[in-house]
Amino acid sequence: MPQQPEPLDPHQDMVALLQGAWRARAVHVAAELGLPDLLVSGPRGVAELAELTGTHAPTLGRLLRALTTFGVFHRLPDGRTYGQSPLSAVLVSEPANPESTDARFMAANWHWAAWGDLLHSVRTGESSFEVANGGVSFWELTKTDPDAKRRFNAAMSAVSVAESTATARAYDFSAARHVVDVAGGLGSLLAAVLTENPALRGTVLERPETVPLAEDLLAAAGVDGRYEVVAGDFFESVPPGADVYTIKRALHDWDDDTIVRILGRIREAMRPDSVLLVIEGMVGDDSDQEALFRGLLLTVLVGGQDRPESDYRTLATRAGLRTTRTVRVGDTLRILETRLP
Ligand SMILES: C[S@@+](CC[C@H](N)C(=O)[O-])C[C@H]1O[C@@H](n2cnc3c(N)ncnc32)[C@H](O)[C@@H]1O
């Protein structure tokens, strides 16, 4: 079990923890206003930044000053001009990097409000999102609200692209002819798998509202003529008869019984010799702070959670699948290879 370091001064450390939410919110606001982007071409004065962002100059100045105390932005000796620092540079939006898209995802009031009701999740084990957002679920909001949809998809895509390539390289798809990626998101896993395996064809199954985005990504991936994107619902049915099925970071959004239902739908689509790869962040005793807080985020947003590998094996068994092996992709990301009994 990893040991926590002894705090040097528990009072001071606790104050820093208590104010952590304020610090995070200040960073969200800086990202939301696009301040890092505005400083790409060089330092600017507070008055100019306030004009460009339509904000109250004295308060913007205080925000910037506070942010510099932990290294976000750099204050020039005149005290009124701010420049980029290595930390603020990470939040520049072009070229898209995971931290900048994550900052905009977290900056949304509905995201922040859901964390504000964490106590509801801890009391009930349920998502706090609906309680905090007038009864609207995360899935409903990202379906109907274009801004929420854009923020979610950007955050999902930023995380997904790098790990999709790693996943495609970690598993040998060379014997397969057709792969179906269930809840394939923006299509980055399928794009990576098809790029690594030039003879393979593939299908993404996604919610109708995500289909055009997956089509765009795959069209740009140089895998012409070897893919299709199908609008559907994994609670209803999954395209049948593929050699390999994949489902990446989609089961963790649901409770155990629902996961068994989804796996059951995929099992119904499988041929006797098909393989289903369950690709998830699988937590263990060595999981770091980031992974543990990401797990809480899943609960807050959608009532999901990260699980240890043993739980996924049990869920696969409950769905009538046997686990044949596990492949490690990255820090916590694992591929659980499952087949029909
Ligand atoms: C956390 S994302 C993961 C996406 C992708 N596999 C990845 O790794 O980036 C979960 C995905 O499940 C999809 N999803 C949610 N409910 C679904 C349903 N009923 N049928 C099909 N896809 C669904 C969402 O649209 C979303 O793209």
Side-chain angles (χ1 to χ4, degrees), residues 31-34 37 93-94 96-98 100-111 138-159 185-186 207 209-210 213 216:
E32 188 68 18
L33 292 173
D37 288 354
S93 60
E94 286 296 335
N97 65 61
S100 83
T101 49
D102 233 16
R104 284 167 181 79
F105 184 43
M106 295 175 187
N109 281 338
W110 39 263
H111 190 134
F138 178 79
W139 295 120
E140 190 60 25
L141 190 78
T142 53
K143 180 170 154 181
T144 53
D145 180 314
D147 181 65
K149 183 166 138 181
R150 193 172 42 76
R151 287 177 197 254
F152 171 50
N153 286 331
M156 195 164 64
S157 142
V159 175
L186 306 191
R207 297 192 295 164
E209 54 276 13
T210 311
L213 299 166
D216 285 352

Side-chain angles (χ1 to χ4, degrees), residues 164-227:
S164 289
T165 304
T167 305
R169 290 181 180 162
Y171 189 84
D172 182 4
F173 289 87
S174 60
R177 282 157 302 154
H178 184 205
V179 57
V180 171
D181 189 21
V182 179
L186 306 191
S188 64
L189 177 61
L190 186 66
V193 169
L194 295 186
T195 303
E196 294 292 319
N197 300 274
L200 197 60
R201 283 185 310 112
T203 304
V204 166
L205 174 75
E206 250 301 334
R207 297 192 295 164
E209 54 276 13
T210 311
V211 165
L213 299 166
E215 275 169 346
D216 285 352
L217 187 145
L218 283 156
V223 291
D224 287 1
R226 293 195 284 133
Y227 68 87

